[in-house]
Amino acid sequence: MVIIAHPDDAEFGCAGTVTKWAQAGRKVTYVVLTSGDKGGHDPDLRPGRLAALREEEQRAAAKELGVEEVIFLRYPDGLLENTLELRRQLAHIIRLHRPHIVMTIDPWRHYQLHPDHRAAGQAALDAIYAAREWYLFPEQLVGDTEPWRVREVYLFWTDNADHWEDISAWIERRILALARHASQVGLDMDKLSERIRQQSRQVGAQAGYEYAEAFKHFKF
């Protein structure tokens, strides 16, 4: 499960690893907390239409990567907070989907200026804790629903990486998925490709790979 603030966060942060794991047979679910309705500069494109467009782009990108399901919670872009209600929703989603691994944004990254990124990462981690406890949000534990313990967490956009995933064989797929977010990255594929290759090459050099993505990795 990948829990992110906006459409395109996963494609910028961990898409090479997502498609690598999906092709290895793992089921991947995206949980996107906002629809990115503030992520535009065209005054003729209203926020409602922009949100719909960015959801379409995210679904197309997810399909490119082999992601099985995309869940949108549709919180307001730019105003995301780690509220008790958001934590409750995420804990319920985790209990229903039972992911062994959760990937999210590192909320402790130094000088992480985007409040949505900080809130998304913290809410995801708080929900992971809540989902495993019998007496937190017990109203969710009806029928076959039980507490669920996530086994591993991978935080991307981190200053404290201790795990690198080799994505050399999947760099093209990552670029193609990111290109689906045309409202954010434009239509110049050559420029986009060079940007992503350069970034992934720099990360890969830290671990001896041609291209890589870096994470802070936890096991529970």
Side-chain angles (χ1 to χ4, degrees):
M1 178 172 286
V2 183
I3 301 175
I4 48 179
H6 313 101
D8 80 14
D9 284 352
E11 282 68 52
F12 273 114
C14 60
T17 303
V18 166
T19 195
K20 175 182 178 179
W21 289 354
Q23 289 183 23
R26 297 187 183 184
K27 178 181 178 181
V28 182
T29 300
Y30 277 5
V31 181
V32 189
L33 305 188
T34 83
S35 297
D37 53 279
K38 307 295 194 302
H41 304 285
D42 182 354
D44 295 324
L45 188 59
R46 290 313 199 188
R49 175 56 193 142
L50 178 60
L53 172 61
R54 295 200 67 188
E55 287 191 11
E56 292 170 6
E57 291 176 339
Q58 180 62 91
R59 290 189 183 95
K63 184 177 180 181
E64 196 79 57
L65 298 171
V67 174
E68 292 198 12
E69 183 178 4
V70 182
I71 300 169
F72 292 97
L73 297 190
R74 300 189 173 99
Y75 281 83
D77 185 8
L79 302 173
L80 190 66
E81 295 181 332
N82 178 20
T83 62
L84 187 60
E85 180 55 31
L86 175 55
R87 196 183 314 173
R88 187 194 314 274
Q89 281 186 277
L90 289 175
H92 194 210
I93 290 170
I94 289 169
R95 286 168 166 173
L96 291 176
H97 287 261
R98 300 182 177 185
H100 295 295
I101 295 172
V102 169
M103 308 174 82
T104 192
I105 300 164
D106 186 345
W108 300 294
R109 182 183 182 183
H110 295 165
Y111 312 117
Q112 171 65 268
L113 295 181
H114 202 311
D116 287 0
H117 292 165
R118 295 196 305 269
Q122 194 65 65
L125 293 170
D126 290 349
I128 288 168
Y129 174 81
R132 69 190 190 186
E133 299 296 320
W134 274 100
Y135 297 105
L136 291 178
F137 312 130
E139 73 281 359
Q140 297 174 356
L141 304 178
V142 296
D144 295 331
T145 305
E146 294 186 352
W148 180 254
R149 181 178 290 269
V150 173
R151 296 178 183 174
E152 299 179 64
V153 171
Y154 290 77
L155 302 180
F156 60 90
W157 294 340
T158 182
D159 291 325
N160 299 289
D162 56 11
H163 179 90
W164 287 262
E165 280 289 330
D166 180 4
I167 63 164
S168 302
W170 295 272
I171 188 70
E172 291 293 343
R173 185 62 55 186
R174 181 187 177 190
I175 293 168
L176 288 173
L178 191 52
R180 296 290 189 174
H181 296 280
S183 70
Q184 308 302 301
V185 302
L187 300 175
D188 188 337
M189 278 292 293
D190 291 338
K191 182 178 179 180
L192 177 65
S193 178
E194 179 54 33
R195 174 186 174 186
I196 299 305
R197 287 179 184 279
Q198 182 178 2
Q199 292 174 348
S200 301
R201 192 181 295 116
Q202 290 174 347
V203 175
Q206 301 169 13
Y209 299 128
E210 183 179 7
Y211 298 110
E213 290 170 344
F215 303 91
K216 178 65 178 177
H217 181 215
F218 297 93
K219 286 187 176 181
F220 302 113

